[in-house]
């Protein structure tokens, strides 16, 4: 199941490269192409109904709903939840690209709706919703939307964690977060 799958183009490629091996399904907040519509929070499929649930460059559009979506993905996935998303930009230039791309700001006078997180924040969120990182990689060279859009990306393969696997940040680690404001004031950057 591809959550935030747009028109479902990824499914076309998956089925073309691996005929008869995968059954692709997708949902998005707007029904388009192969994807059916959902409300952006609840995944209306039965428990353990898909082998893998993916979020490919979609969670930054979900804001705080990311927590509920990840819990829902954990419920619906038989084996894995896969997340591929941009990590928080580290410069004013990359922050401008991130918060200025389509879907992050619909009109110039409206607030930006995207939320980009650091690797450390994602790992904390995964732990909080009961998902354990089975594999992770930084894929900054995976795909450049624009020539100057060079930003770190996080790729995570997650599986449901057992209570003994939960690894939350210690109190000292939590206190070590420092909020800084970039010159253009698009968004605070956690470091």
């Amino acid at each position: 199941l591809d959550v935030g799958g747009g028109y479902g183009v990824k499914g076309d490629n998956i089925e073309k490269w691996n005929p008869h091996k995968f059954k692709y399904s997708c949902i998005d907040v707007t029904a388009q192409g192969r994807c059916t519509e959902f409300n952006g929070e609840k995944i209306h499929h039965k428990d353990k109904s898909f082998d893998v649930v993916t979020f490919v460059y979609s969670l930054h559009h979900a804001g705080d709903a990311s927590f509920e979506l990840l819990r829902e993905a954990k419920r619906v996935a038989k084996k894995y939840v896969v997340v591929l998303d941009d990590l928080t930009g580290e410069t004013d230039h990359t922050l401008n690209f991130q918060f200025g791309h389509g879907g992050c700001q619909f009109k110039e006078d409206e607030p930006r709706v995207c939320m980009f997180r650091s690797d450390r924040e994602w790992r904390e969120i995964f732990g909080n919703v009961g998902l354990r990182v089975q594999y992770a990689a930084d894929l900054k060279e995976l795909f450049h939307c624009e020539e100057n859009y060079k930003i770190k990306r996080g790729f995570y393969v997650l599986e449901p964690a057992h209570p003994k696997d939960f690894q939350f940040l210690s109190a000292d680690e939590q206190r070590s977060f420092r909020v800084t404001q970039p010159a253009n004031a698009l968004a605070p950057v956690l470091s």
Side-chain angles (χ1 to χ4, degrees):
L1 176 67
D2 186 13
V3 181
Y7 290 94
V9 175
K10 290 183 288 293
D12 296 338
N13 291 329
I14 288 169
E15 290 170 349
K16 183 172 113 181
W17 298 329
N18 303 284
H20 313 295
K21 290 186 180 182
F22 297 98
K23 182 180 178 212
Y24 175 86
S25 183
C26 63
I27 56 177
D28 203 297
V29 294
T30 305
Q32 49 193 355
R34 296 176 67 166
C35 295
T36 58
E37 187 173 348
F38 86 118
N39 68 4
E41 292 178 10
K42 293 285 183 192
I43 298 174
H44 296 289
H45 290 282
K46 294 178 183 176
D47 293 0
K48 310 282 185 227
S49 54
F50 293 92
D51 288 327
V52 179
V53 177
T54 64
F55 297 91
V56 179
Y57 302 119
S58 58
L59 278 179
H60 65 262
H61 291 282
D64 287 337
S66 297
F67 292 84
E68 184 60 29
L69 283 171
L70 287 166
R71 281 186 200 98
E72 284 286 290
K74 179 181 135 183
R75 179 185 63 76
V76 171
K78 289 180 194 172
K79 296 179 182 178
Y80 301 108
V81 175
V82 176
V83 173
L84 172 61
D85 215 327
D86 291 347
L87 300 177
T88 302
E90 296 173 346
T91 66
D92 289 344
H93 179 74
T94 54
L95 287 168
N96 276 327
F97 271 114
Q98 282 186 307
F99 289 96
H101 84 275
C104 284
Q105 187 175 25
F106 300 108
K107 295 181 183 173
E108 191 172 314
D109 59 341
E110 290 181 354
R112 290 173 173 84
V113 295
C114 289
M115 185 176 289
F116 296 93
R117 295 178 165 96
S118 67
D119 175 70
R120 189 173 181 178
E121 290 172 296
W122 276 124
R123 289 171 187 267
E124 182 72 7
I125 290 168
F126 299 147
N128 282 328
V129 299
L131 290 166
R132 180 179 54 193
V133 177
Q134 193 61 17
Y135 174 82
D138 171 13
L139 301 175
K140 64 183 173 185
E141 298 301 323
L142 178 69
F143 180 74
H144 298 300
C145 298
E146 297 183 35
E147 190 172 319
N148 294 325
Y149 189 71
K150 294 184 178 166
I151 194 154
K152 290 181 182 176
R153 291 177 162 90
F155 177 73
Y156 308 93
V157 177
L158 311 161
E159 62 183 10
H162 302 288
K164 67 178 177 53
D165 297 324
F166 291 153
Q167 295 178 0
F168 299 107
L169 291 178
S170 69
D172 286 339
E173 289 173 317
Q174 291 175 21
R175 282 191 292 274
S176 71
F177 282 118
R178 184 179 89 254
V179 177
T180 58
Q181 195 72 14
N184 63 11
L186 285 176
V189 179
L190 287 175
S191 58

